[in-house]
């Protein structure tokens, strides 16, 4: 039977091209500039266009997933064979509480162990040597094999992969895990995942590096060589690029400084006779994933392209150049106020990471930035991943963003900008030298300052914080952990543990470590494993490994920030005033004329002051300045905002401001709107206006000054 072809009902309509579309768009703007209204400038310095076409989207790499370039994924099947790992952090300091949370979460959908360590463990210090707050305050504190066994009680290490960002303690921690495997009757090859050496992250986070880079590189090389020769699948080298994003940097900073760090580590391994093709497959990168969905998807794709280019340029094979990454939802954009909005932010971010092709993912609980997450918030965070995997089936789609003209274009633009910044770091002598000079830290600080200024001026709006705040919101009454007390308690535990050992037992431990620095990788690992089996601590082992080494030079630290912090600081001050006096600092709106004259600026003023936690008293408007002045004084508000039109201001502002200043208690007088000329501004100030609020004013700084004046 012959099938009759169906007519094309759209034949009579011409196919519009980009030129015709732009012309129609410009007509709809009624004379407003196209670039100003429809083109968005990103923190990366990339112009986000309102529409992309095939002409924009020349592919940045290989045409198919799994082909060199790896833009579309390191594997031809993406995450289809096993999905990505649900790899949630558990920020608990004591082994018992960590173990309880881990067992609960592994039985409810988590399928990887993610051990967030405290600072003391990551830099190889026993509790009595660490700074205040470095023990137990931000993660699990491990000193001995007994600690690790208690933390992992009931966990079969052969059944789930383990993810451990280990700073400069990766070698002793790997030996600690080998001792734990022996306790479970398992071979070293049974352990999967990564115990990741990453000295730069500790150097930048702490400002100093115990033992120095050379010692850290030596341990990294020993661990990598041992894993390679022992047939262990462990990844041993980590690059925590996410710290640059959490400090306020852009995707370009994260990519460039992450790749630069990786290249420095490759050079260090090559100098220790571990060639690029052996070292590169042992890397695991960690990237942050933020709320700019399309940019974040493009970032993961660009990272694979850049790493492949760097590895092959260094002499590695294309097979060794496949980047594998862990993703962590951003801390930069999370808020204490209206914290359940963090669930929406984290969902978008997790979606971007999965579409971008991460191998494992941590979704931060919504309360992470103001308390140690509880079972409820952990469950919600974990379920975001489970929904994406089981209900949305994203793990069954290979490169879901492939072919998107927008994503392909952004991938190419990001890769170009990041490679240029990477080359700038190379011209400075590599990442270590750039860190010593403060170049990456200052670059990120500069952009973070600009981004926070955009929040302070409310050009960058944060729902529930500087836009549409809820002044009746009741924050959870949480007991933040007393980190100093926790550190002191942990120090006593470790000290008591060591004192409980017989003197000859302690001597036996140290004897087992003799000659370790000159031993082969296999022998060194064997000796370390035996030492932990006989009671050695990470601090003792680290001292032996760093013998004769000095600490690395002090460098400018990377400051982790949250963009909402300026307004959260204001809200803490006004909330404290409410708790102390029963009232928030009050603002009276002196609305002049009928509603159509004052409504726009009254609404703006209400949002401006509410963002800082001020109580705003509005009204239907006053016919005369005298009536407005009387009502303002009767309100008891120390701050008065004059709201009307520019045309009315010359006649109404001088008498009203003068009346507000002439009483026994002069009031702070603010004018809503910025007068057009400096002369007019000066005239209003001479009449009694203290300041002007407008769309370009720095809201956070102005409100902070007003609270200072009020003594709050």
């Amino acid at each position: 039977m012959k099938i009759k072809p169906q007519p094309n009902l759209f034949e009579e309509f011409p196919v519009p091209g980009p030129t015709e579309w732009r012309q129609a768009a410009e007509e709809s703007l009624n004379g407003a500039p196209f670039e100003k209204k429809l083109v968005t400038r990103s923190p990366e310095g990339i112009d986000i266009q309102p529409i992309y076409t095939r002409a924009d989207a020349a592919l940045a790499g290989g045409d198919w997933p799994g082909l060199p370039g790896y833009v579309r994924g390191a594997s031809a099947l993406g995450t289809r064979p096993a999905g990505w790992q649900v790899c949630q952090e558990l920020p608990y300091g004591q082994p018992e509480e960590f173990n309880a949370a881990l067992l609960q979460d592994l039985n409810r959908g988590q399928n990887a162990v993610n051990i967030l360590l405290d600072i003391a463990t990551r830099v190889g210090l026993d509790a009595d040597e660490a700074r205040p707050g470095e023990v137990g305050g931000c993660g699990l504190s491990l000193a001995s094999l007994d600690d690790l066994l208690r933390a992992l009680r009931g966990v079969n290490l052969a059944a789930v992969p383990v993810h451990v960002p280990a700073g400069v303690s990766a070698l002793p921690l790997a030996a600690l895990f080998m001792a734990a495997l022996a306790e479970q009757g398992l071979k070293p090859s049974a352990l999967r995942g990564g115990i990741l050496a990453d000295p730069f992250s500790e150097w930048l986070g702490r400002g100093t590096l115990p033992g120095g880079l050379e010692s850290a590189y030596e341990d990294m090389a020993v661990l990598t060589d041992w894993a390679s020769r022992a047939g262990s699948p462990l990844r041993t080298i980590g690059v925590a690029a996410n710290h640059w994003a959490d400090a306020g940097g852009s995707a370009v900073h994260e990519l460039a400084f992450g790749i630069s760090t990786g290249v420095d580590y490759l050079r260090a391994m090559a100098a220790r006779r571990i060639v690029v093709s052996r070292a590169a497959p042992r890397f695991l990168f960690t990237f942050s994933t933020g709320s700019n969905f399309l940019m974040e998807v493009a970032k993961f794709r660009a990272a694979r392209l850049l790493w492949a280019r760097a590895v092959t340029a260094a002499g590695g094979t294309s097979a060794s150049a496949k980047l594998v990454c862990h993703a962590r939802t951003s801390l930069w954009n999370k808020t204490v106020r209206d914290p359940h909005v963090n669930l929406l932010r984290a969902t978008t971010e997790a979606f971007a990471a999965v579409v971008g092709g991460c191998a494992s993912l941590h979704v931060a609980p919504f309360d992470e930035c103001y308390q140690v997450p509880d079972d409820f918030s952990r469950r919600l965070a974990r379920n975001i991943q489970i929904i994406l995997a089981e209900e949305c089936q994203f793990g069954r789609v290979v490169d879901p963003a492939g072919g998107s003209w927008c994503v392909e274009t952004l991938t190419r633009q990001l890769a170009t900008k990041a490679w240029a910044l990477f080359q700038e770091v190379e011209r400075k002598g590599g990442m270590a030298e750039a860190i010593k000079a403060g170049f990456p830290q200052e670059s990120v600080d500069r952009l973070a300052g600009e981004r926070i200024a955009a929040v302070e001026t409310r050009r960058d709006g944060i729902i529930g914080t500087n836009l549409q705040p809820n002044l009746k919101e009741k924050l959870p009454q949480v007991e933040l952990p007393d980190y100093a007390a926790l550190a002191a308690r942990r120090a006593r535990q470790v000290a008591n543990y060591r004192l409980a050992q017989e003197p000859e037992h302690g001597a036996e431990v140290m004897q087992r470590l003799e000659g370790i620095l000159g031993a082969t990788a296999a022998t060194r690992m064997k000796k370390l494993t035996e030492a932990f089996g006989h009671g050695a601590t990470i601090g003792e082992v680290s001292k032996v490994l760093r013998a004769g080494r000095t600490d690395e030079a002090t460098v400018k630290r990377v400051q982790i920030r949250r963009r909402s912090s300026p307004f959260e600081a204001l809200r803490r001050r006004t909330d404290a005033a409410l708790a102390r006096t029963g009232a928030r600092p009050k603002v009276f709106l002196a609305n002049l004329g009928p509603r159509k004259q004052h409504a726009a600026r009254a609404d703006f003023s209400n949002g401006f002051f509410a963002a800082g936690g001020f109580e705003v008293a509005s009204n239907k408007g006053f016919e005369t300045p005298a009536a407005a002045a009387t009502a303002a004084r009767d309100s008891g508000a120390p701050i008065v905002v004059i709201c009307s039109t520019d045309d009315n201001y010359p006649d109404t502002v001088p008498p009203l401001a003068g009346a507000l200043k002439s009483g026994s208690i002069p009031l702070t007088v603010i004018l809503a709107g910025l007068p057009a000329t400096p002369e007019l501004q000066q005239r209003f100030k001479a009449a009694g206006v203290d300041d002007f609020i407008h769309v370009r004013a720095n809201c956070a700084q102005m409100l902070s000054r007003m609270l200072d004046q009020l003594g709050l």
Side-chain angles (χ1 to χ4, degrees), residues 187-203:
K187 296 180 179 179
S189 59
L191 189 65
R192 296 173 291 123
I195 300 176
L196 307 169
D198 185 7
F200 284 4
S201 67
E202 301 307 322
W203 192 20

Side-chain angles (χ1 to χ4, degrees), residues 264 267 422-434:
D264 262 31
R267 289 194 184 106
F422 162 71
Q423 290 178 315
E424 188 173 354
V425 173
E426 288 293 283
R427 287 193 291 271
K428 294 181 181 297
M431 193 61 177
E433 294 303 315

Side-chain angles (χ1 to χ4, degrees), residues 298-343:
K299 179 179 72 180
F300 287 96
R301 297 161 64 85
R304 291 191 290 269
L305 173 66
L306 292 168
W307 183 240
R309 184 175 183 182
V311 169
T312 53
T317 63
S318 60
S320 69
K322 299 178 180 181
L323 179 141
V324 176
C325 71
H326 172 71
R328 189 194 193 284
T329 55
S330 174
L331 181 64
W332 162 260
N333 64 355
K334 300 304 183 295
T335 61
V336 172
R337 297 290 171 172
D338 206 358
H340 292 101
V341 179
N342 291 336
L343 287 168

Side-chain angles (χ1 to χ4, degrees), residues 245-593:
D246 288 337
S250 69
V252 170
H253 288 128
E254 198 175 356
L255 289 169
F257 298 150
I259 298 301
S260 294
T261 297
V263 168
D264 262 31
Y265 290 171
L266 283 177
R267 289 194 184 106
M269 296 302 95
R272 289 158 180 79
R273 299 185 179 181
I274 300 177
V275 297
V276 172
S277 294
R278 280 183 67 205
R282 298 288 170 177
F283 276 72
L284 180 70
F285 284 76
T286 298
F287 290 108
S288 175
T289 174
S291 293
N292 188 340
F293 177 76
L294 294 172
M295 190 67 73
E296 294 300 316
V297 173
K299 179 179 72 180
F300 287 96
R301 297 161 64 85
R304 291 191 290 269
L305 173 66
L306 292 168
W307 183 240
R309 184 175 183 182
V311 169
T312 53
T317 63
S318 60
S320 69
K322 299 178 180 181
L323 179 141
V324 176
C325 71
H326 172 71
R328 189 194 193 284
T329 55
S330 174
L331 181 64
W332 162 260
N333 64 355
K334 300 304 183 295
T335 61
V336 172
R337 297 290 171 172
D338 206 358
H340 292 101
V341 179
N342 291 336
L343 287 168
L344 303 178
R345 298 179 181 117
T347 299
T348 300
E349 294 161 8
F351 184 21
V354 169
V355 172
C358 68
S360 56
L361 174 62
H362 164 74
V363 175
F366 71 87
D367 55 352
E368 180 186 61
C369 57
Y370 64 84
Q371 71 174 7
V372 176
D374 58 19
D375 174 58
F376 176 68
S377 62
R378 293 202 324 267
R379 177 165 61 88
L380 290 180
R382 187 173 62 248
N383 284 349
I384 288 173
Q385 296 206 53
I386 294 172
I387 290 170
L388 290 174
E390 302 298 333
E391 296 188 23
C392 301
Q393 295 285 309
F394 284 119
R396 297 182 61 82
V397 182
V398 179
D399 187 27
S404 162
W405 295 331
C406 175
V407 172
E408 300 288 4
T409 302
L410 292 178
T411 299
R412 185 180 66 250
Q413 291 173 324
L414 267 181
T416 300
K417 284 182 171 290
W419 190 259
L421 183 56
F422 162 71
Q423 290 178 315
E424 188 173 354
V425 173
E426 288 293 283
R427 287 193 291 271
K428 294 181 181 297
M431 193 61 177
E433 294 303 315
I435 288 172
K436 291 176 183 177
F439 171 70
Q441 302 97 305
E442 290 167 5
S443 298
V444 169
D445 283 350
R446 187 163 50 251
L447 178 61
E450 295 171 2
R451 298 178 75 181
I452 288 177
V455 172
E456 291 177 335
T457 57
R458 302 200 306 158
R459 288 182 287 114
D460 182 5
I462 307 173
I463 298 297
T465 301
N466 67 354
L467 292 180
Q468 301 174 350
N470 177 11
L471 298 188
K472 296 181 180 180
E473 176 185 11
K474 299 292 185 183
L475 287 180
Q477 297 300 311
V478 297
E479 294 183 8
L480 297 178
D482 185 343
Y483 292 151
L486 186 62
R489 184 165 67 250
R490 184 58 183 159
R492 290 194 298 271
Q493 288 175 344
V494 175
N496 291 339
Y497 171 77
R498 293 307 303 151
L499 290 172
Q501 308 301 315
E502 295 294 331
E504 61 271 21
H505 192 194
E508 180 186 350
V509 168
M510 301 311 292
Q511 184 177 5
R512 288 179 179 278
L513 296 174
E514 289 182 1
I516 193 171
L517 294 181
T520 65
T523 301
R524 199 175 306 193
M525 182 62 76
K526 181 181 178 182
K527 283 178 172 287
L528 289 174
T529 302
E530 291 175 348
F532 282 121
H534 285 78
T537 68
I538 287 177
E540 291 172 337
V541 168
S542 296
K543 285 178 184 177
V544 173
L545 294 174
R546 296 168 188 163
R549 302 282 189 178
T550 58
D551 291 357
E552 199 61 52
T554 301
V555 298
K556 179 180 174 65
R557 296 174 61 187
V558 171
Q559 181 182 353
I560 304 302
R561 305 173 175 90
R562 288 185 300 107
R563 61 178 183 155
S564 59
S565 57
F567 285 95
E568 290 172 358
L570 290 172
R571 292 288 296 275
R572 284 195 296 270
R573 295 173 70 180
T574 52
D575 285 355
L578 175 63
R580 187 172 60 253
T581 67
R584 294 183 176 278
K586 193 173 183 180
V587 177
F588 182 83
L589 301 187
N591 300 326
L592 295 172

